[in-house]
Amino acid sequence: MNEKFEKALLFSGGGTRLMIYLGMFSALEELGIKPDVLIASCGGAFAATVVNAFPDNLSRKQYLQSEEYYQFVSKTKLTKQKKLNKIGLFTLKKIINNKNAPFIEDVFNRYLVEMHQDLSEDFLSLKNTKFSQEIPTIIIGSEILFDTTEVNQKRNDRKLYQKIIFTDPETAKKIIPNQIIINSENLKNSAIEDLPKIETQFSMLESTRTSISDMFYVEPALIQGKYFAGGAVDLVPIELAKHLANEAIIEKKQSYNKTEEAFVRAVLGYSGNERLQEIEKLSPDFQIDTINIKQDLKGHYLQKGINWRKFEIDFSLPKSYQQFKTDMEKQWQYGFDQTMKSIQK
């Protein structure tokens, strides 16, 4: 029987929270409770990759304030789906029809943000990052179980996604898949296979590209001839954290907004907000409160909005490199401060 880790830390989603997660990690280290295992999903996977890529908190922070990372952020391009008569109308339909994944949604062609399939094209500094033994890391993604010819057909209760746990071979030995099945009413008839799969052959950047491929936001990852989708399949994998460690440290997140809730229902077939309530009932050992993040970091945090003149979705990108560095500094400090406040209560 494998011995459990002492503390697991979850980086659960949010492509714009990377620096916040690094601030959290740094605060935990300062408090003497550095996590023994990192579990990351969606945008949190990128933060976990940066933690693995650099040897200390200062160099991690400096990387996310680097010219390389700034170039990636500032060159963010939206697809033609940004037009309100496309994604806007589509979203409204999904909000009105709140059924649990009645159809196989076309996630292959309907997405908002352009992104390279190979992230090493953007992040040369991270190209050779491996899952390290020093900080055992797990990244959550999912494999798509249907192909492009089947989109828009009725689902008929079919399972469309399988959760994938990306990690290194040693950490994989500690995971028993049938012991982390989520047995809730909320997920019983979802579009997700009950039993997760473990994958140890993917690089960290491949795993991260998979995890950030959220439905309708980023194109699915095509790796080794298979399509993969994002970590939204299990945004806060607390069952996995408790399976692997004696204590679980998670983020206390704000509720899904109407659009997010509608997309999770339409694609994955369950309620994201009901899932958050289930996580609360599973009593995480520590929660780092980021519920008011959008208000607390207003003006220093990437936000989506509507450009009514152009009748399209718009992102508030930093106006200059200096502004970017200032924003990232404030985000790091927010993650650090919220962790200190939450843990020391």
Side-chain angles (χ1 to χ4, degrees):
M1 177 68 182
N2 280 309
E3 226 178 278
K4 276 190 167 190
F5 293 108
E6 190 53 40
K7 290 178 182 62
L9 172 63
L10 276 62
F11 288 165
S12 49
T16 53
R17 293 171 182 248
L18 314 184
M19 201 57 134
I20 294 157
Y21 290 141
L22 293 193
M24 288 178 183
F25 191 87
S26 186
L28 290 170
E29 199 166 271
E30 192 159 309
L31 288 165
I33 49 174
K34 180 181 170 182
D36 308 288
V37 61
L38 263 182
I39 303 173
S41 57
C42 295
F46 197 97
T49 297
V50 173
V51 169
N52 278 261
F54 297 95
D56 54 68
N57 289 313
L58 179 60
S59 55
R60 291 163 189 150
K61 184 181 182 183
Q62 285 172 338
Y63 177 69
L64 283 191
Q65 290 180 306
S66 68
E67 187 74 38
E68 180 174 281
Y69 188 65
Y70 171 66
Q71 287 301 322
F72 173 74
V73 172
S74 61
K75 288 177 180 173
T76 299
K77 284 192 174 68
L78 302 185
T79 69
K80 61 186 180 184
Q81 292 293 329
K82 67 185 176 182
K83 294 293 182 185
L84 291 186
N85 63 350
K86 291 187 179 291
I87 197 74
L89 193 58
F90 175 79
T91 302
L92 188 60
K93 285 177 182 173
K94 296 303 169 194
I95 290 170
I96 292 166
N97 178 5
N98 67 347
K99 292 190 172 67
N100 287 348
F103 298 99
I104 300 172
E105 295 291 342
D106 186 4
V107 294
F108 300 106
N109 297 299
R110 185 178 274 116
Y111 55 91
L112 195 56
V113 179
E114 295 281 10
M115 192 174 288
H116 285 132
Q117 282 287 348
D118 181 0
L119 288 183
S120 65
E121 292 179 36
D122 299 297
F123 305 110
L124 288 173
S125 304
L126 305 176
K127 188 172 183 177
N128 299 315
T129 306
K130 294 180 169 63
F131 284 94
S132 76
Q133 290 302 298
E134 193 183 329
I135 306 169
T137 300
I138 289 163
I139 290 174
I140 304 295
S142 54
E143 185 178 334
I144 297 177
L145 304 177
F146 58 94
D147 62 41
T148 54
T149 65
E150 298 176 282
V151 299
N152 300 321
Q153 293 178 12
K154 286 187 176 177
R155 176 168 75 98
N156 296 324
D157 295 330
R158 178 179 161 189
K159 300 298 184 182
L160 304 177
Y161 298 87
Q162 182 165 30
K163 181 162 64 181
I164 307 289
I165 297 166
F166 299 97
T167 191
D168 66 274
E170 280 306 303
T171 307
K173 290 175 187 173
K174 293 177 174 285
I175 305 167
I176 304 167
N178 63 13
Q179 289 186 12
I180 51 170
I181 293 170
I182 302 171
N183 291 311
S184 74
E185 198 64 30
N186 183 28
L187 274 96
K188 192 165 70 174
N189 298 313
S190 77
I192 305 163
E193 279 281 8
D194 293 337
L195 193 68
K197 197 162 82 172
I198 299 170
E199 174 59 68
T200 60
Q201 299 303 308
F202 280 40
S203 72
M204 279 213 88
L205 271 187
E206 286 174 326
S207 305
T208 294
R209 177 61 179 84
T210 292
S211 195
I212 59 180
S213 306
D214 262 359
M215 60 270 183
F216 307 138
Y217 284 103
V218 176
E219 182 183 16
L222 178 58
I223 302 171
Q224 297 174 15
K226 292 180 179 178
Y227 282 104
F228 296 87
V233 72
D234 190 5
L235 194 63
V236 189
I238 191 166
E239 292 85 356
L240 176 60
K242 285 182 168 282
H243 175 66
L244 284 172
N246 293 321
E247 293 180 339
I249 305 168
I250 73 166
E251 199 182 348
K252 188 176 178 66
K253 299 175 79 71
Q254 65 271 56
S255 300
Y256 287 71
N257 64 32
K258 281 185 181 178
T259 299
E260 292 161 346
E261 175 77 350
F263 283 178
V264 171
R265 273 195 187 279
V267 176
L268 301 174
Y270 71 91
S271 163
N273 283 322
E274 283 181 35
R275 173 68 181 149
L276 289 181
Q277 289 166 15
E278 290 165 10
I279 289 159
E280 282 287 331
K281 286 176 187 167
L282 286 168
S283 305
D285 300 280
F286 298 103
Q287 290 193 74
I288 301 166
D289 189 348
T290 62
I291 283 178
N292 297 317
I293 188 170
K294 288 182 180 174
Q295 300 94 296
D296 294 343
L297 285 173
K298 196 171 174 60
H300 301 285
Y301 183 73
L302 184 71
Q303 289 184 312
K304 287 197 303 291
I306 295 174
N307 184 328
W308 289 108
R309 187 172 59 81
K310 294 184 176 178
F311 205 59
E312 64 187 30
I313 303 289
D314 206 358
F315 280 1
S316 59
L317 296 169
K319 302 283 190 289
S320 67
Y321 182 38
Q322 191 51 52
Q323 178 64 51
F324 167 78
K325 287 204 288 187
T326 301
D327 290 350
M328 295 303 265
E329 186 66 40
K330 286 185 180 292
Q331 290 174 25
W332 186 93
Q333 197 62 50
Y334 177 82
F336 186 92
D337 291 345
Q338 290 303 110
T339 303
M340 287 295 191
K341 283 182 206 166
S342 299
I343 302 293
Q344 290 179 329
K345 271 183 183 175

PDB file of all heavy atoms in Angstrom, residues 63 85 150 217 226 292 302:
ATOM      1  N   TYR A  63       9.243  34.684 -14.370  1.00  0.00           N
ATOM      2  CA  TYR A  63       8.856  34.146 -15.683  1.00  0.00           C
ATOM      3  C   TYR A  63       7.484  34.683 -16.110  1.00  0.00           C
ATOM      4  O   TYR A  63       7.284  35.051 -17.268  1.00  0.00           O
ATOM      5  CB  TYR A  63       8.839  32.613 -15.696  1.00  0.00           C
ATOM      6  CG  TYR A  63       8.364  32.120 -17.039  1.00  0.00           C
ATOM      7  CD1 TYR A  63       9.167  32.284 -18.163  1.00  0.00           C
ATOM      8  CD2 TYR A  63       7.096  31.583 -17.205  1.00  0.00           C
ATOM      9  CE1 TYR A  63       8.723  31.910 -19.425  1.00  0.00           C
ATOM     10  CE2 TYR A  63       6.640  31.208 -18.453  1.00  0.00           C
ATOM     11  CZ  TYR A  63       7.457  31.372 -19.559  1.00  0.00           C
ATOM     12  OH  TYR A  63       7.019  31.026 -20.811  1.00  0.00           O
ATOM     13  N   ASN A  85     -23.724  37.757 -32.868  1.00  0.00           N
ATOM     14  CA  ASN A  85     -24.714  36.964 -33.610  1.00  0.00           C
ATOM     15  C   ASN A  85     -24.276  35.509 -33.752  1.00  0.00           C
ATOM     16  O   ASN A  85     -25.008  34.670 -34.253  1.00  0.00           O
ATOM     17  CB  ASN A  85     -25.007  37.575 -34.983  1.00  0.00           C
ATOM     18  CG  ASN A  85     -23.793  37.591 -35.891  1.00  0.00           C
ATOM     19  OD1 ASN A  85     -22.678  37.313 -35.460  1.00  0.00           O
ATOM     20  ND2 ASN A  85     -24.006  37.927 -37.153  1.00  0.00           N
ATOM     21  N   GLU A 150     -19.853  13.255 -35.794  1.00  0.00           N
ATOM     22  CA  GLU A 150     -21.003  12.966 -34.931  1.00  0.00           C
ATOM     23  C   GLU A 150     -21.605  14.198 -34.260  1.00  0.00           C
ATOM     24  O   GLU A 150     -22.594  14.077 -33.530  1.00  0.00           O
ATOM     25  CB  GLU A 150     -20.590  11.962 -33.846  1.00  0.00           C
ATOM     26  CG  GLU A 150     -20.141  10.622 -34.413  1.00  0.00           C
ATOM     27  CD  GLU A 150     -19.645   9.673 -33.333  1.00  0.00           C
ATOM     28  OE1 GLU A 150     -18.495   9.844 -32.878  1.00  0.00           O
ATOM     29  OE2 GLU A 150     -20.418   8.788 -32.934  1.00  0.00           O
ATOM     30  N   TYR A 217     -14.165  27.794 -25.597  1.00  0.00           N
ATOM     31  CA  TYR A 217     -13.129  28.820 -25.381  1.00  0.00           C
ATOM     32  C   TYR A 217     -11.881  28.535 -26.206  1.00  0.00           C
ATOM     33  O   TYR A 217     -11.355  29.418 -26.868  1.00  0.00           O
ATOM     34  CB  TYR A 217     -12.769  28.925 -23.891  1.00  0.00           C
ATOM     35  CG  TYR A 217     -13.816  29.670 -23.099  1.00  0.00           C
ATOM     36  CD1 TYR A 217     -14.732  28.981 -22.298  1.00  0.00           C
ATOM     37  CD2 TYR A 217     -13.916  31.043 -23.171  1.00  0.00           C
ATOM     38  CE1 TYR A 217     -15.719  29.653 -21.598  1.00  0.00           C
ATOM     39  CE2 TYR A 217     -14.903  31.728 -22.471  1.00  0.00           C
ATOM     40  CZ  TYR A 217     -15.800  31.032 -21.687  1.00  0.00           C
ATOM     41  OH  TYR A 217     -16.778  31.706 -21.001  1.00  0.00           O
ATOM     42  N   LYS A 226      -5.427  11.724 -31.296  1.00  0.00           N
ATOM     43  CA  LYS A 226      -6.663  11.753 -30.507  1.00  0.00           C
ATOM     44  C   LYS A 226      -6.982  13.185 -30.094  1.00  0.00           C
ATOM     45  O   LYS A 226      -6.081  14.009 -29.923  1.00  0.00           O
ATOM     46  CB  LYS A 226      -6.522  10.899 -29.247  1.00  0.00           C
ATOM     47  CG  LYS A 226      -6.419   9.404 -29.521  1.00  0.00           C
ATOM     48  CD  LYS A 226      -6.280   8.637 -28.207  1.00  0.00           C
ATOM     49  CE  LYS A 226      -6.199   7.136 -28.448  1.00  0.00           C
ATOM     50  NZ  LYS A 226      -6.015   6.395 -27.172  1.00  0.00           N
ATOM     51  N   ASN A 292     -14.180  37.074  -4.146  1.00  0.00           N
ATOM     52  CA  ASN A 292     -14.317  38.463  -4.612  1.00  0.00           C
ATOM     53  C   ASN A 292     -13.184  38.906  -5.530  1.00  0.00           C
ATOM     54  O   ASN A 292     -12.905  40.099  -5.657  1.00  0.00           O
ATOM     55  CB  ASN A 292     -14.394  39.408  -3.403  1.00  0.00           C
ATOM     56  CG  ASN A 292     -15.627  39.136  -2.563  1.00  0.00           C
ATOM     57  OD1 ASN A 292     -16.722  38.940  -3.089  1.00  0.00           O
ATOM     58  ND2 ASN A 292     -15.458  39.104  -1.255  1.00  0.00           N
ATOM     59  N   LEU A 302      -7.555  40.288 -16.281  1.00  0.00           N
ATOM     60  CA  LEU A 302      -8.163  40.135 -17.601  1.00  0.00           C
ATOM     61  C   LEU A 302      -9.654  39.827 -17.485  1.00  0.00           C
ATOM     62  O   LEU A 302     -10.035  38.883 -16.798  1.00  0.00           O
ATOM     63  CB  LEU A 302      -7.459  39.001 -18.362  1.00  0.00           C
ATOM     64  CG  LEU A 302      -7.911  38.780 -19.808  1.00  0.00           C
ATOM     65  CD1 LEU A 302      -7.445  39.917 -20.703  1.00  0.00           C
ATOM     66  CD2 LEU A 302      -7.379  37.458 -20.329  1.00  0.00           C
TER      67      LEU A 302
END
